[in-house]
C-alpha cells in the first residue's frame, strides 16, 4: 500500500504549486495549520543546500473532530501532511494517505473516517 497520494505539476514553480495546493485543499474543507520550509531550515541549521521542499499541515476541522471523538490520542497523527518538493521538470505534491497512517490503530470506525479523509485529499490533489 502506498502511503501518499501524488501528483506531478510540470513546469510549475514551488510558489505556484503552493498557491494551487492551498486553493484545492480549501475547496475540500481543509485549512493549512502549519508550514515548514524544509529547504530553509536545512540551510539555516546545517548549511546544506537542497531543492525546494515544503510541508503543509492540512486539517479538515469536521473530520479531525470526528476522529478525536472516536480515538482521543489520534491527534498525535494530525494534521494531514502535504509535501511540495521541487523535482526535475516541476513540483511533486504528495499528501499522506490517512488510511495507511491509521493502520497502526485498531479501530474500524476510525478507519472509516480515514477513508473519507483519503477521498477528500485525493480529490484535492487531483484538482491542483
Amino acid at each position: 500500500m502506498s502511503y501518499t497520494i501524488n501528483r506531478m505539476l510540470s513546469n510549475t514553480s514551488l510558489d505556484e504549486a503552493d498557491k494551487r495546493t492551498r486553493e484545492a485543499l480549501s475547496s475540500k474543507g481543509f485549512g493549512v495549520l502549519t508550514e515548514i520550509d524544509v529547504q530553509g531550515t536545512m540551510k539555516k541549521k546545517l548549511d546544506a543546500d537542497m531543492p525546494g521542499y515544503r510541508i503543509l499541515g492540512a486539517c479538515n476541522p469536521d473530520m479531525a473532530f470526528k476522529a478525536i471523538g472516536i480515538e482521543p490520542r489520534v491527534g498525535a497523527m494530525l494534521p494531514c501532511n502535504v509535501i511540495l518538493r521541487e523535482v526535475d521538470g516541476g513540483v511533486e505534491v504528495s499528501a499522506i494517505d490517512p488510511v495507511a497512517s491509521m493502520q497502526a490503530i485498531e479501530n474500524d470506525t476510525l478507519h472509516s473516517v480515514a477513508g473519507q479523509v483519503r477521498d477528500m485529499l485525493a480529490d484535492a490533489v487531483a484538482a491542483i
Side-chain angles (χ1 to χ4, degrees):
M1 170 186 285
S2 176
Y3 62 95
T4 57
I5 302 160
N6 306 304
R7 172 127 192 244
M8 178 64 182
L9 305 177
S10 298
N11 301 313
T12 303
S13 71
L14 189 63
D15 288 336
E16 177 62 22
D18 185 298
K19 178 179 181 267
R20 289 171 53 186
T21 299
R22 288 173 192 263
E23 289 170 354
L25 288 167
S26 179
S27 75
K28 296 299 175 185
F30 291 88
V32 175
L33 302 177
T34 61
E35 177 182 337
I36 301 169
D37 175 1
V38 177
Q39 178 189 38
T41 299
M42 295 304 167
K43 184 64 177 174
K44 181 178 177 183
K45 300 288 185 181
L46 303 175
D47 195 27
D49 293 317
M50 66 179 288
Y53 194 113
R54 290 183 192 157
I55 303 171
L56 305 178
C59 179
N60 180 297
D62 291 331
M63 300 308 282
F65 185 76
K66 189 180 288 187
I68 291 168
I70 295 166
E71 187 68 44
R73 289 185 297 248
V74 76
M77 301 174 107
L78 301 177
C80 295
N81 285 332
V82 179
I83 64 169
L84 309 170
R85 65 185 192 100
E86 290 178 329
V87 295
D88 288 339
V91 175
E92 182 183 62
V93 178
S94 298
I96 186 66
D97 179 342
V99 172
S101 68
M102 295 297 157
Q103 290 302 308
I105 302 171
E106 294 182 20
N107 185 318
D108 290 339
T109 306
L110 181 66
H111 294 177
S112 174
V113 172
Q116 293 172 40
V117 176
R118 175 184 53 198
D119 293 345
M120 295 163 74
L121 282 171
D123 288 347
V125 169
I128 299 171

